[in-house]
Amino acid sequence: VNCLCCLATQTAPRRPPARSAKPRKRPARAVERGRIDVHHHYLTPAYLADAGPLYDSPGSVSLRSGWSPEVSLDMMDEGGVATSIVSLSSPGIWFGDGALRRRLARECNEYAATMVSDHPGRFGMFAALPMPDVDASLRELEYAFDTLGADGVGFLTNLDGKYLGDPLFAPVFEELERRGAVVYTHPTPLEASRGVLPGIPESAIEFGTDTTRTIASLVFGGTAARTPRVRYIFSHAGGTLPFIVERFTRLARRPDLAERLPRGLLHELRRF
Amino acid sequence: MLIITSPARAPHRLQCPCCIKAAPSAWYAAAKKKKAAVSRPAAKKKAKARPKAKPSPLRIDVHHHIAPPSYVQALGPDALYNGSEGSRRATYEWNPGMAIDDMDEGGTRTAITSIYSGSAIAGHPDARRIARDVNEFAAQMARDYPGRFGHFATLPMPDVDGCLEEIAYALDVLKLDGVDFRTSYGKQYLGDPAFTPIYEELNRRKAIVYTHPHEPDFLEGLIPGVPGSAIEFCTDTTRTIASLVFSGTASRFPNVRFIFSHGGGTMPFIIERFTRLARRKDLAEKLPKGVLYELKKFYYEVAQAAHPGALSSLTGLVPLSQVLFGTDFPYRSAKEIGKGLTDYGFKGAELAAINRGNAAKLFPRFA
């Protein structure tokens, strides 16, 4: 598998996922002490039937054509990865209409849960939610956490052009806060910037900046400060944020934004 | 030599802008008149009040904005003012004395200036005239303050013929120091084939191209309350670097010396995306010396990037010889950016190279 995203970011989360506490048979000692990969993609046959044509970059074409859980396991063994917490890559389930999103969310989450149970200890899962339908998302969230035992939720950085701090998503973040959940985010290009540089894939530049945008939306929109128990994970070392952090710290002095960050901007950025 | 030591004594915008449009001489006549009115003892007192400073680092600031009155008048303050403090200072308060004050305080010997909010010119029906007026003004400023100011010529982009005409005038007649491009014009980035005639001319002249970012209009207002400068400016620099290298423009015109603002936008942080992409056959063909060769040949100034998050990535990628001092005045001060560099740990020969030495090689008339 040649997914551009997976290889570079194999870092451990601050806490081991809840699942690792369960007793499991470990295939080898090396695996026991191996890495935990929090950025690892999966696909399902049903998902590909709908989203396949949207997988058009060189990395995702190879993912599309030859992926199976065994391919992931081979690669994990080769790279010393004990456990991968799997999530959907761009475009996730965030295309098509609400009914399709609800169906795909359920199918993908159940598929991932099967991977988790079929290969004890090797996989965890970030659940997909059929945003922006808040009611359906709350239902799926409950099912994914309480029935499937998800390790967190996986969002894309923008959903239909709306960033994660958008007030529309507030009820979902409230519930995630109540649960003290882990929120993983994966970048996706903004529709408006698609094809802006002829011949240059969106992953090269637009992915990085979209993560930065959603961090800005979460901190300056106030969601980050309102959800202190949510553990956020951002892909690709924060998109481009660390390089331009001074823009953020200066902006955070503006009174209307400072109000939404009672513990300060850096408090939030450092706990992500 | 005309010296204006404080904004209070500097010539503020003349009351009636109609009278001075495109006429820097009127500005300077007024400035000289005002200067004559300043009593000498007052000027001396001011000078004594300043604490004894270390020897000046004689910085050369390659990211320093001017907003001549004729320019503000031609575009209208509404087109330039974006609500921020820096923008207010640029649009409503800028004058040469204010620039000199900041330069003196921050140890800047010379500022190579560029027009404030220059994207506003792009596509303007009077773009050629506005660009000419700015360049004339900047040339006059350079004469009035010898050694203190240069200018990257303002161009009527994306009007290719107009640009070629202005390049000849600005570089041959006005002896300006290079040209100023925005990172994009609509969806045209700097590697766009439409600009080839301009690069042919700049390559022939071994010219310096300074680039300044902006928020592309198709990405405006993405996050409520967050201005375009916070994120979109930076990424637009990265896009235009990608456009220049992957279109083959950078390698086809090797004599052009590019300067990118703000430490390269975000490019150094996401460099691996560039190096991996450059393996693609169609792109590799356009980069016979490799993508890193081109990226390491460009120059990068440090305005708004004089902090560890940016400097660690930038200096991990390019040799220190490619790093230039820049402030983004009047948004930021020379003192602030200077402090950022020393706080990061630059000292001695390295600091001197960034402050002055690297730029002195690019702009020998200020060496």
Side-chain angles (χ1 to χ4, degrees):
Chain A
V1 179
N2 240 343
C3 171
L4 291 172
C5 312
C6 307
L7 292 171
T9 50
Q10 295 173 338
T11 52
R14 284 184 185 171
R15 293 184 192 185
R19 290 197 157 265
S20 63
K22 292 185 182 174
R24 282 199 181 113
K25 280 183 189 169
R26 310 279 175 164
R29 227 184 141 198
V31 163
E32 204 165 286
R33 286 187 288 178
R35 299 185 165 106
I36 298 173
D37 177 359
V38 301
H39 183 160
H40 193 107
H41 297 303
Y42 75 106
L43 292 163
T44 82
Y47 172 72
L48 268 180
D50 292 296
L54 299 167
Y55 267 75
D56 53 2
S57 77
S60 37
V61 165
S62 64
L63 189 65
R64 182 177 69 193
S65 57
W67 183 84
S68 70
E70 283 66 34
V71 170
S72 272
L73 288 168
D74 287 349
M75 217 171 135
M76 289 158 63
D77 289 344
E78 198 185 327
V81 175
T83 305
S84 291
I85 319 293
V86 299
S87 56
L88 293 167
S89 184
S90 171
I93 57 162
W94 293 278
F95 59 91
D97 63 13
L100 178 68
R101 292 176 188 205
R102 287 192 294 276
R103 176 170 66 74
L104 286 178
R106 179 57 57 95
E107 283 173 6
C108 290
N109 291 338
E110 291 193 329
Y111 184 95
T114 308
M115 280 172 68
V116 172
S117 57
D118 283 355
H119 306 277
R122 303 305 305 274
F123 292 112
M125 64 174 279
F126 291 128
L129 302 183
M131 301 270 254
D133 180 339
V134 168
D135 291 339
S137 293
L138 289 171
R139 282 197 300 275
E140 190 62 29
L141 194 156
E142 187 183 5
Y143 179 74
F145 277 96
D146 298 343
T147 306
L148 300 179
D151 300 287
V153 298
F155 289 135
L156 295 183
T157 45
N158 81 77
L159 307 171
D160 297 341
K162 289 193 167 58
Y163 288 88
L164 295 182
D166 194 288
L168 180 68
F169 305 140
V172 174
F173 278 91
E174 253 171 55
E175 175 60 12
L176 292 167
E177 170 67 7
R178 194 185 66 76
R179 290 173 179 268
V182 173
V183 170
Y184 167 75
T185 70
H186 191 277
T188 191
L190 189 70
E191 221 34 60
S193 68
R194 220 175 252 283
V196 61
L197 293 176
I200 307 298
E202 267 68 31
S203 57
I205 298 174
E206 303 310 322
F207 271 36
T209 201
D210 217 59
T211 291
T212 306
R213 290 187 192 121
T214 218
I215 294 175
S217 173
L218 286 166
V219 294
F220 294 126
T223 299
R226 281 196 305 271
T227 55
R229 296 180 64 233
V230 172
R231 272 94 33 95
Y232 294 89
I233 300 173
F234 296 99
S235 293
H236 309 306
T240 59
L241 165 79
F243 196 84
I244 60 170
V245 65
E246 204 188 65
R247 303 275 192 174
F248 278 55
T249 52
R250 289 177 64 86
L251 191 57
R253 295 182 201 161
R254 222 175 67 193
D256 61 319
L257 300 179
E259 262 174 25
R260 296 174 191 167
L261 290 160
R263 276 156 297 194
L265 170 78
L266 287 177
H267 169 86
E268 306 299 341
L269 296 182
R270 286 174 176 159
R271 77 180 182 86
F272 291 160
Chain B
M1 181 172 151
L2 170 64
I3 296 176
I4 299 162
T5 51
S6 85
R9 270 174 258 124
H12 282 292
R13 231 167 267 302
L14 300 181
Q15 288 85 343
C16 171
C18 326
C19 308
I20 53 154
K21 74 172 180 180
S25 57
W27 171 280
Y28 285 95
K32 281 173 183 163
K33 204 173 164 186
K34 284 210 174 184
K35 194 229 171 190
V38 174
S39 68
R40 284 180 182 279
K44 277 185 182 169
K45 193 178 169 190
K46 172 82 180 178
K48 274 185 185 169
R50 288 192 176 165
K52 279 185 187 172
K54 291 178 196 167
S56 169
L58 300 173
R59 295 184 167 111
I60 300 176
D61 175 2
V62 301
H63 186 162
H64 187 111
H65 296 298
I66 60 170
S70 62
Y71 171 75
V72 176
Q73 190 219 342
L75 295 168
D78 290 349
L80 300 175
Y81 177 56
N82 66 21
S84 74
E85 171 61 11
S87 175
R88 188 187 62 74
R89 271 157 56 79
T91 310
Y92 296 105
E93 290 181 359
W94 182 86
N95 61 67
M98 173 178 154
I100 289 284
D101 272 353
D102 188 81
M103 290 159 67
D104 285 348
E105 197 186 347
T108 299
R109 172 65 192 155
T110 305
I112 318 289
T113 65
S114 46
I115 192 65
Y116 164 69
S117 200
S119 307
I121 303 177
H124 193 285
D126 286 333
R128 290 188 188 194
R129 184 184 61 76
I130 295 168
R132 175 63 55 92
D133 288 351
V134 171
N135 293 332
E136 294 272 17
F137 183 96
Q140 183 62 43
M141 210 165 103
R143 284 192 291 274
D144 286 340
Y145 298 83
R148 304 306 302 272
F149 291 112
H151 186 63
F152 294 118
T154 305
L155 297 180
M157 284 284 272
D159 163 7
V160 172
D161 291 340
C163 283
L164 290 172
E165 199 176 300
E166 195 57 29
I167 288 168
Y169 185 76
L171 301 187
D172 293 340
V173 179
L174 299 179
K175 311 285 184 204
L176 297 181
D177 302 280
V179 301
D180 168 14
F181 286 154
R182 301 290 117 172
T183 45
S184 59
Y185 300 91
K187 283 196 176 177
Q188 280 183 294
Y189 282 80
L190 293 184
D192 194 291
F195 302 143
T196 299
I198 296 176
Y199 289 113
E200 281 168 354
E201 177 62 7
L202 294 172
N203 194 57
R204 189 182 68 74
R205 291 173 174 272
K206 301 183 168 58
I208 292 170
V209 171
Y210 167 75
T211 70
H212 193 279
H214 69 138
E215 178 182 39
D217 54 10
F218 57 92
L219 296 174
E220 273 173 10
L222 294 181
I223 303 160
V226 177
S229 57
I231 301 173
E232 304 309 324
F233 274 46
C234 313
T235 302
D236 218 49
T237 292
T238 306
R239 288 192 194 101
T240 220
I241 293 174
S243 174
L244 285 166
V245 295
F246 293 126
S247 67
T249 306
S251 54
R252 277 170 60 211
F253 303 107
N255 297 332
V256 177
R257 283 149 314 154
F258 288 93
I259 301 174
F260 296 101
S261 294
H262 307 307
T266 59
M267 182 276 292
F269 196 78
I270 59 171
I271 178 62
E272 203 187 65
R273 301 281 191 175
F274 278 61
T275 52
R276 288 176 65 89
L277 191 57
R279 296 182 203 161
R280 218 175 72 194
K281 211 180 153 206
D282 59 321
L283 300 178
E285 274 171 11
K286 293 174 181 164
L287 290 158
K289 295 181 179 169
V291 69
L292 285 177
Y293 171 86
E294 303 299 341
L295 296 176
K296 288 176 178 175
K297 200 181 132 202
F298 294 153
Y299 293 84
Y300 306 86
E301 63 81 22
V302 297
Q304 316 254 20
H307 60 89
L311 290 173
S312 57
S313 291
L314 177 63
T315 56
L317 175 65
V318 305
L320 213 64
S321 59
Q322 309 311 106
V323 182
L324 306 176
F325 184 75
T327 60
D328 211 350
F329 179 84
Y331 280 88
R332 301 292 295 273
S333 70
K335 204 173 163 182
E336 274 180 292
I337 307 298
K339 183 174 183 302
L341 293 176
T342 48
D343 285 355
Y344 181 68
F346 286 124
K347 55 190 171 190
E350 288 186 344
L351 186 60
I354 298 172
N355 278 336
R356 176 175 179 79
N358 296 337
K361 288 177 193 154
L362 281 175
F363 308 100
R365 73 161 166 149
F366 298 114

